Amino acid sequence: MHTYDEPVYLISIVSKILDIHPQTLRQYERENLITPSRSDGRIRLYSQRDIDRIKLILRLTREMGVNLAGVDVALRLKEQIDTMEQEIAELRYQLAQAKQSTSVPPEKALVTKKSIYEMIIFEEK
């Protein structure tokens, strides 16, 4: 069994799986919507992740009527959201770790405000 990111599918196989013309896949590559891997002989190889991305592109164009420029914007926004969701998950984990490691429960901790005034003492000479 192949991993999700392993490039194993030829363009002819992907076009049959998705019922699209190989030129459509080449167009998506020219538009930088997909970036299939290349073999040593420069043959395009697609991973399952690539196929899922192409399915999303087809859904946006066919079902929602989005043009390729709009698809590009949508995909970039999706990537940003995915990155932010990962960062939020990491921050939540760090927060949970910090809450568990404190010796005093946060609701019982004494917090004092620092004064905004500073005292300056001048020495007389």
Side-chain angles (χ1 to χ4, degrees):
M1 190 70 185
H2 302 289
T3 64
Y4 190 62
D5 292 316
E6 188 176 355
V8 293
Y9 301 102
L10 296 170
I11 192 168
S12 59
I13 301 300
V14 175
S15 66
K16 285 180 185 175
I17 290 171
L18 300 176
D19 193 30
I20 58 175
H21 197 279
Q23 282 295 3
T24 304
L25 294 169
R26 292 183 187 99
Q27 176 67 31
Y28 292 168
E29 186 177 359
R30 280 191 298 275
E31 297 285 336
N32 293 317
L33 298 175
I34 57 172
T35 52
S37 298
R38 298 284 184 142
S39 69
D40 293 337
R42 304 289 299 153
I43 296 172
R44 290 174 179 88
L45 294 173
Y46 296 85
S47 67
Q48 186 60 48
R49 183 179 305 276
D50 294 327
I51 291 172
D52 290 345
R53 185 175 175 98
I54 296 165
K55 285 179 182 178
L56 175 59
I57 293 168
L58 292 173
R59 196 170 328 128
L60 289 169
T61 56
R62 290 177 178 171
E63 296 174 18
M64 302 180 84
V66 179
N67 64 20
L68 293 183
V71 169
D72 184 46
V73 171
L75 292 175
R76 288 177 196 265
L77 288 173
K78 182 183 179 315
E79 288 170 3
Q80 288 178 353
I81 289 169
D82 291 344
T83 300
M84 289 179 185
E85 285 176 344
Q86 180 64 35
E87 289 174 4
I88 289 170
E90 289 172 13
L91 290 171
R92 284 184 175 152
Y93 175 77
Q94 291 173 4
L95 180 61
Q97 293 294 86
K99 284 181 179 179
Q100 290 177 356
S101 67
T102 59
S103 57
V104 178
E107 64 271 6
K108 294 186 179 183
L110 177 62
V111 179
T112 59
K113 279 189 160 180
K114 290 185 177 182
S115 172
I116 60 170
Y117 300 103
E118 291 183 14
M119 184 177 285
I120 302 173
I121 301 175
F122 296 97
E123 291 182 22
E124 289 185 35
K125 291 188 181 187

